[in-house]
């Protein structure tokens, strides 16, 4: 049995690896990967061989958000890279097997061109962008509202055309609502949960002596540094509004330059006390801030709420049943449009704060409303699902592989 995994982004690589590792534990399937975006360091770290050509593009994979990013990527060799990757897929496919596409329509399209059976883990789209359990969500733009409702599904007709090809053996949407809608269009959709919620276990003890807040600035430089500065402005503005001690934990993604984070902390009057730990006095209280590279699960498990400017990481945090506060940045990912879309995707679990100076009032308003906190917990679990999806998806993939 042979399987080739295609994914297009750092978060998608991580989700794919969880599924592939679960599959490896159950069979002797030969697994290889081709990351369409980035260099596939996560696959290499997981000892999964990477085929074909890989390269980091200027946009970091966000060409669909800004035409300027697309132009930069084309100038950086996007067309040549795409043709080389498709050629590598066709060469791999000559020996037979199956393809697993993780992400959006791009890896699914690549999988279809292989001519082999394929399955699709749909991480990028959810019906929650359009509706919740009570019906469609009104959009500010009349055009967007009519356009997105016109086909009755978040997946456009060309997406669904690929999903309904005989080659497509299974589609794994990210939530139950999306699976239900896809089934109405006769797509082979399986409601097995969201692999984003796997691998987030932490066995430590949570502190209760202060308010603990996670800071999630994103994973792609240089945007994450601009997001980090916005967060530090929000912290300085909000600390005077609280009379209890505060602890900030920041999950720093691999590859982020800690020196840049350090210099920004110093410029906002945070004083280093020991390795990656800083203090900042306010009134008679004192706040601590800890940088936690490579300790994402611990960071989000210990925290009561988050200030977040990220995609997947924010979704994982609210999936724990916790609230997140988001601020629009300058992009290329976390733009005002992205932030607005995230409020639709995640519903009551996220609060959009327009300016850093407004963060204190927003957080205090939530903490004074226990009914809202309970509603957020229920909403997060419903939208992101329970852990164990990677194991369930791998079971289904193994069934398909045995027939290839």
């Amino acid at each position: 049995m042979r399987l080739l995994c295609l994914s297009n982004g750092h978060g998608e690589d991580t989700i794919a690896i969880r599924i592939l590792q679960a599959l490896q534990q159950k069979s002797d399937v030969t697994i290889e990967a081709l990351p369409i975006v980035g260099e596939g360091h996560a696959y290499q770290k997981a000892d999964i061989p990477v085929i074909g050509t890989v390269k980091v593009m200027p946009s970091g994979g966000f060409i669909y958000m800004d035409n300027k990013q697309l132009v930069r990527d084309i100038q950086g060799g996007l067309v040549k890279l795409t043709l080389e990757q498709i050629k590598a897929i066709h060469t791999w496919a000559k020996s037979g097997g199956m393809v697993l596409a993780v992400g959006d329509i791009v890896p699914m399209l690549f999988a279809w061109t292989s001519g082999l059976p394929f399955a699709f883990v749909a991480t990028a789209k959810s019906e929650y962008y359009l509706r919740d359990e009570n019906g469609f969500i009104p959009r500010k733009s009349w055009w967007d509202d009519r356009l997105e409702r016109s086909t009755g599904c978040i997946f456009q007709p060309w997406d669904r055309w690929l999903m309904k090809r005989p080659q497509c053996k299974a589609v794994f949407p990210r939530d139950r609502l999306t699976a239900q809608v896809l089934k109405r269009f006769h797509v082979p959709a399986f409601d097995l949960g969201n692999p984003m919620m796997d691998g987030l276990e932490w066995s430590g003890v949570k502190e209760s002596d202060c308010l603990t807040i996670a800071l999630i600035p994103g994973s792609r430089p240089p945007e994450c540094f601009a997001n980090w500065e916005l967060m530090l402005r929000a912290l300085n503005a909000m600390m005077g509004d609280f009379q209890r001690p505060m602890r900030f934990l920041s999950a720093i993604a691999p590859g982020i330059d800690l020196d840049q984070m350090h210099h920004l902390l110093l410029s906002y009057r945070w004083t280093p006390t020991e390795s990656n730990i800083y203090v900042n006095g306010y009134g008679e209280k004192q706040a601590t801030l800890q940088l936690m590279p490579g300790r994402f699960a611990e960071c989000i498990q210990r925290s009561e709420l988050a200030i977040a400017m990220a995609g997947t990481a924010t979704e994982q945090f609210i999936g724990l049943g916790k609230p997140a506060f988001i601020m629009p940045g300058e992009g290329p990912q976390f733009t005002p449009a992205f932030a607005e879309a995230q409020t639709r995707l995640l519903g009551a679990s996220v609060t959009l704060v327009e300016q850093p100076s407004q963060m204190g009032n927003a957080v205090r308003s939530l903490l004074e409303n226990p009914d809202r906190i309970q509603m957020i917990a229920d909403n997060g679990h419903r939208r992101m699902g329970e852990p164990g999806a990677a194991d369930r998806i791998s079971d289904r993939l193994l069934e398909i592989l045995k027939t290839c």
Side-chain angles (χ1 to χ4, degrees):
M1 296 185 292
R2 302 173 73 237
L3 183 139
L4 175 64
C5 182
L6 310 176
S7 55
N8 63 332
H10 174 74
E12 290 80 1
D13 294 353
T14 302
I15 291 167
I17 287 167
R18 293 193 186 111
I19 298 170
L20 299 179
Q21 289 177 331
L23 189 59
Q24 286 175 324
Q25 293 174 1
K26 302 170 184 178
S27 70
D28 59 354
V29 59
T30 299
I31 297 174
E32 294 172 289
L34 175 56
I36 297 171
V37 173
E39 296 179 333
H41 295 301
Y43 287 113
Q44 296 167 23
K45 187 175 180 180
D47 292 325
I48 295 173
V50 171
I51 72 164
T53 303
V54 294
K55 184 178 180 181
V56 176
M57 288 285 109
S59 73
F62 295 112
I63 58 174
Y64 59 90
M65 295 183 179
D66 186 343
N67 289 335
K68 294 179 181 178
Q69 299 292 335
L70 175 58
V71 171
R72 291 176 61 205
D73 278 8
I74 291 175
Q75 293 171 340
L78 176 62
V79 174
K80 180 182 177 183
L81 175 65
T82 299
L83 294 174
E84 289 176 347
Q85 290 177 334
I86 292 175
K87 182 179 178 180
I89 293 168
H90 290 175
T91 300
W92 188 93
K94 290 178 181 178
S95 298
M98 175 185 174
V99 181
L100 174 64
V102 181
D104 56 24
I105 191 173
V106 176
M108 181 167 57
L109 180 61
F110 282 22
W112 174 68
T113 67
S114 73
L116 296 175
F118 72 87
F120 177 45
V121 181
T123 66
K125 289 187 176 183
S126 166
E127 282 299 312
Y128 282 115
Y129 281 118
L130 301 184
R131 69 184 102 199
D132 57 20
E133 286 76 9
N134 299 316
F136 282 101
I137 303 169
R139 298 291 303 279
K140 292 182 179 179
S141 165
W142 176 87
W143 172 253
D144 287 341
D145 196 54
R146 292 298 299 271
L147 179 66
E148 292 184 337
R149 292 190 191 190
S150 62
T151 66
C153 181
I154 187 65
F155 288 97
Q156 297 300 319
W158 46 87
D159 293 301
R160 301 196 302 269
W161 185 87
L162 286 170
M163 294 176 186
K164 292 193 289 184
R165 295 305 88 201
Q167 287 173 247
C168 183
K169 303 302 181 182
V171 174
F172 305 108
R174 50 178 292 150
D175 53 68
R176 178 163 297 170
L177 180 62
T178 307
Q180 290 171 344
V181 172
L182 283 174
K183 287 177 182 178
R184 297 177 200 165
F185 290 91
H186 308 292
V187 168
F190 295 82
D191 174 28
L192 300 182
N194 192 334
M196 287 184 192
M197 297 312 299
D198 293 343
L200 300 178
E201 299 81 10
W202 178 68
S203 58
V205 179
K206 300 178 183 178
E207 306 90 345
S208 58
D209 58 331
C210 63
L211 175 62
T212 304
I213 299 175
L215 305 177
I216 307 174
S219 61
R220 291 176 173 85
E223 181 181 12
C224 64
F225 301 120
N227 293 347
W228 183 242
E229 185 163 8
L230 272 178
M231 290 182 177
L232 294 181
R233 287 169 55 192
L235 301 193
N236 277 11
M238 72 181 287
M239 285 190 296
D241 293 336
F242 289 84
Q243 299 303 312
R244 57 189 290 196
M246 305 175 75
R247 177 185 293 112
F248 301 101
L249 306 177
S250 186
I252 306 301
I256 299 301
D257 184 359
L258 291 181
D259 285 343
Q260 290 199 49
M261 314 292 273
H262 169 78
H263 290 306
L264 283 168
L265 282 163
L266 294 182
S267 68
Y268 280 85
R269 300 188 299 278
W270 288 87
T271 303
T273 58
E274 53 185 290
S275 178
N276 290 337
I277 297 178
Y278 301 78
V279 297
N280 192 332
Y282 61 100
E284 298 179 356
K285 305 294 182 182
Q286 190 175 69
T288 63
L289 187 153
Q290 183 177 0
L291 303 179
M292 304 176 68
R295 296 161 63 186
F296 177 71
E298 177 186 349
C299 173
I300 63 174
Q301 291 285 3
R302 287 173 59 186
S303 301
E304 298 172 49
L305 56 94
I307 300 173
M309 299 178 70
T312 300
T314 306
E315 296 162 31
Q316 290 172 310
F317 188 87
I318 73 101
L320 297 178
K322 301 178 181 184
F325 296 81
I326 64 177
M327 295 182 291
E330 297 181 359
Q333 180 188 27
F334 217 83
T335 61
F338 185 95
E340 185 275 331
Q342 195 172 67
T343 64
R344 286 183 279 120
L345 173 65
L346 303 179
S349 295
V350 295
T351 300
L352 179 60
V353 179
E354 295 290 348
Q355 299 293 332
S357 60
Q358 300 169 351
M359 186 63 68
N361 287 335
V363 172
R364 188 170 57 252
S365 175
L366 172 66
L367 295 177
E368 292 172 353
N369 190 338
D371 290 341
R372 185 179 162 203
I373 292 173
Q374 182 58 53
M375 178 182 67
I376 286 171
D378 296 339
N379 178 72
H381 291 138
R382 181 172 62 253
R383 297 202 181 207
M384 295 300 295
E386 298 300 320
D391 188 60
R392 295 187 287 270
I393 291 172
S394 70
D395 284 339
R396 180 60 188 160
L397 290 176
L398 188 55
E399 293 175 11
I400 300 170
L401 277 162
K402 290 177 179 178
T403 67
C404 292

